[in-house]
């Protein structure tokens, strides 16, 4: 749960600033002004540009965050006369001023001579965000490694042209998270960049288990010695990775796939489906030390690799139509934690910022801001302030937008 007690009067902005404090916003102001100066020195002066202020930077973020609630195709729709126009917030800043800030917006204006990482323009922000996640929340023992659902808004996909859709799908990075499975709080973010079309690019990430294990190690670098139980999907699950994690005091439970997983070191007899017909709930087990390989049958064979649960402990899967199906406890735990993450995706993925810039670092930045707001709302729901106001996720987002824009209205929106 939360590491600090927030006051009853804590606002949406107070929770958001646990992760994005004023000093981070002030740095964005400085870097944006520096980039604008450098840009104008190179391409000619811009008489319409005036240095951005902290108040304007907060308003700029507020306009962007508003697209996560109303899902407009473009943030500029706020100033239009169409369906997505929002006159109540459009008066805070003119469209031309917003577009100027958007043109020059930067988190890091200059590239250091030692920098080789492709995300150097937002790496300090991601590091600051990670420190905020670590200091504001203690996760539960059970956590999940997965790719959160960050796809386009389905309404927009239904209305955009085929050319726009093809363009949007060319995302040059993959976003992975380590997530507390009992609350949904995202503890750590890892961004894998498509550095090129070579063997180490994003295309290879879909096929190579060693790259997935690299992602897993990066996500769990701060988890050593804490007895966490990490749930993984087929692309990450492997015997070598789980044994390496066990030496660090991290225990695992993962779904295994003969097609997607690295099955090195596993007995072939357990990877082949038995020819004799089986009834639902039957399972076979093979062990090596603390590691168990479970092959469980339920309208198909499901294999699980775990060193976190005893294979002899019994669990049960409850199906609406077929009732209770017996299974090892590891299978029950895996199903319970993964279903929670599916619920999280259903509830929170629709609140990702709709603005889709062309530059990769900006895409990652807005995804990271969206995750920070979702985390802020989770902390808000666990605080005493929630029992005073009880905002929904959409209302919390609207409150945050109004506070960033400096609007006086404090009544909850419905």
């Amino acid at each position: 749960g939360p590491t600090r007690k927030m006051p009853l009067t804590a606002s949406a902005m107070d929770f958001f600033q646990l992760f994005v404090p004023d000093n981070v916003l002030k740095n964005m102001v400085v870097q944006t002004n520096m980039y604008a100066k450098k840009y104008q020195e190179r391409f000619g002066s811009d008489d319409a540009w005036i240095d951005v202020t902290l108040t304007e930077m907060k308003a700029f973020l507020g306009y962007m965050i508003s697209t996560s609630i109303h899902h407009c195709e473009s943030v500029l729709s706020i100033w239009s006369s169409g369906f997505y126009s929002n006159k109540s917030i459009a008066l805070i800043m003119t469209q031309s001023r917003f577009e100027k800030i958007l043109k020059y917006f930067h988190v890091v204006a200059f590239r250091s001579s030692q920098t080789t990482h492709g995300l150097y323009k937002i790496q300090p922000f991601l590091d600051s965000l990670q420190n905020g996640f670590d200091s504001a929340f203690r996760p539960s023992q059970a956590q999940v490694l997965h790719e959160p659902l960050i796809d386009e808004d389905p309404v927009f996909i239904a209305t955009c042209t085929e050319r726009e859709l093809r363009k949007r799908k060319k995302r040059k990075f993959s976003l992975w998270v380590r997530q507390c499975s009992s609350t949904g709080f995202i503890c750590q973010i890892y961004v894998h960049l498509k550095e090129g079309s070579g063997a180490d690019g994003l295309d290879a990430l879909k096929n190579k288990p060693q790259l997935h294990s690299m992602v897993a190690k990066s996500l769990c670098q701060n988890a050593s010695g804490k007895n966490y139980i990490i749930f993984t999907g087929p692309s990450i699950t492997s015997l070598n990775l789980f044994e390496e994690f066990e030496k660090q005091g991290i225990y695992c439970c993962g779904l295994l796939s003969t097609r997607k997983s690295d099955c090195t070191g596993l007995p072939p007899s357990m990877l082949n489906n038995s020819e004799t017909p089986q009834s639902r709930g039957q399972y076979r087990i093979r062990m090596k030390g603390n590691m168990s390989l479970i092959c469980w049958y339920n309208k198909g064979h499901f294999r699980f690799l775990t060193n976190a649960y005893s294979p002899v402990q019994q669990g049960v899967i409850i199906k609406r139509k077929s009732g209770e199906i017996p299974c090892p406890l590891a299978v029950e735990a895996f199903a319970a934690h993964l279903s929670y993450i599916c619920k999280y995706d259903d509830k929170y993925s629709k609140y990702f910022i709709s603005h889709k810039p062309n530059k990769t670092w900006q895409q990652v930045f807005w995804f990271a801001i969206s995750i920070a707001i979702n985390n802020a709302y989770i902390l808000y729901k666990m605080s005493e302030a929630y029992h005073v106001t009880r905002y929904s996720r959409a209302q919390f987002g609207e409150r945050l937008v109004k506070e960033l824009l400096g609007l006086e209205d404090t009544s909850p929106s419905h």
Side-chain angles (χ1 to χ4, degrees), residues 234 237-239 254-275 278 283-287 291-297 300-306:
T237 303
S238 78
L239 179 63
L255 181 64
L256 198 70
S257 163
T258 53
R259 189 169 55 89
K260 292 183 180 179
S261 305
D262 178 6
C263 297
T264 307
L266 298 175
S269 60
M270 292 291 286
L271 303 177
N272 300 322
N273 297 336
S274 61
E275 295 178 2
Q278 291 184 290
Y283 58 89
R284 296 178 292 147
I285 298 170
R286 289 284 295 273
M287 293 187 69
M291 200 72 64
S292 308
L293 177 57
I294 302 165
C295 182
W296 177 67
Y297 184 81
H301 291 88
F302 295 89
R303 295 171 180 83
F304 297 86
L305 189 65
T306 181

Side-chain angles (χ1 to χ4, degrees), residues 18-300:
L18 291 173
F19 311 125
V20 189
D22 267 351
N23 65 316
V24 172
L25 297 176
K26 286 175 182 173
N27 180 62
M28 291 179 196
V29 170
V30 172
Q31 297 294 331
T32 299
N33 289 333
M34 284 170 63
Y35 180 78
K37 184 179 179 182
K38 180 179 78 169
Y39 185 93
Q40 290 173 46
E41 285 173 357
R42 186 174 179 183
F43 297 106
S45 62
D46 184 348
D47 296 333
W49 172 253
I50 304 168
D51 278 359
V52 69
T53 64
L54 179 61
T55 303
E56 285 182 315
M57 185 57 71
K58 286 182 178 180
F60 173 77
L61 288 179
Y63 284 126
M64 286 296 194
I65 292 167
S66 71
T67 67
S68 68
I69 305 157
H70 304 295
H71 296 289
C72 46
E73 182 181 339
S74 167
V75 66
L76 301 180
S77 302
I78 293 169
W79 291 274
S80 72
S81 55
F83 179 76
Y84 291 110
S85 65
N86 193 332
K87 302 300 181 189
S88 62
I89 66 174
L91 299 174
I92 303 299
M93 184 186 291
T94 64
Q95 180 179 340
S96 59
R97 179 59 176 164
F98 174 86
E99 289 185 88
K100 283 294 179 189
I101 298 174
L102 181 61
K103 177 181 178 180
Y104 295 122
F105 174 70
H106 265 70
V107 180
V108 173
F110 297 98
R111 182 170 192 153
S112 164
S113 57
Q114 295 87 22
T115 303
T116 56
H117 195 266
L119 288 176
Y120 77 94
K121 287 193 173 183
I122 55 163
Q123 196 58 54
F125 172 75
L126 294 177
D127 294 340
S128 169
L129 203 62
Q130 188 59 57
N131 291 335
F133 291 168
D134 292 340
S135 62
F137 185 80
R138 284 190 302 269
S140 64
Q141 185 184 30
Q143 294 165 40
V144 180
L145 305 186
H146 74 121
E147 287 184 277
L149 196 64
I150 54 176
D151 293 328
E152 299 283 3
D153 178 49
V155 175
F156 175 69
I157 287 179
T159 56
C160 71
T161 65
E162 187 179 342
R163 183 183 174 189
E164 284 176 321
L165 193 58
R166 278 203 309 271
K167 184 181 176 185
R168 299 280 173 141
K169 283 185 175 177
K170 292 178 182 175
R171 210 168 358 106
K172 295 182 180 178
F173 64 92
S174 178
L175 182 69
W176 296 75
V177 299
R178 175 164 58 88
Q179 189 167 17
C180 170
S181 61
S182 58
T183 60
F185 189 94
I186 288 178
C187 310
Q188 192 156 352
I189 301 172
Y190 178 79
V191 181
H192 180 87
L193 272 186
K194 183 178 180 180
E195 303 285 353
S197 57
D200 296 327
L202 186 62
D203 297 332
L205 184 67
K206 299 294 181 188
N207 307 317
K208 291 192 174 181
Q210 62 266 35
L211 283 175
H212 283 274
S213 69
M214 177 198 73
V215 169
K217 289 172 190 175
S218 298
L219 284 170
C220 295
Q221 59 188 359
N222 298 331
S224 299
K226 297 181 180 178
N227 289 324
Y228 288 153
I229 297 175
I230 304 293
F231 293 87
T232 62
S235 59
I236 292 178
T237 303
S238 78
L239 179 63
N240 292 335
L241 179 67
F242 282 14
E243 287 178 338
E244 191 174 328
F245 275 169
E246 188 175 358
K247 293 173 186 174
Q248 301 172 26
I250 303 170
Y251 300 91
C252 305
C253 179
L255 181 64
L256 198 70
S257 163
T258 53
R259 189 169 55 89
K260 292 183 180 179
S261 305
D262 178 6
C263 297
T264 307
L266 298 175
S269 60
M270 292 291 286
L271 303 177
N272 300 322
N273 297 336
S274 61
E275 295 178 2
T276 56
Q278 291 184 290
S279 58
R280 296 177 74 177
Q282 282 190 320
Y283 58 89
R284 296 178 292 147
I285 298 170
R286 289 284 295 273
M287 293 187 69
K288 177 189 174 185
N290 293 329
M291 200 72 64
S292 308
L293 177 57
I294 302 165
C295 182
W296 177 67
Y297 184 81
N298 178 25
K299 289 187 177 179

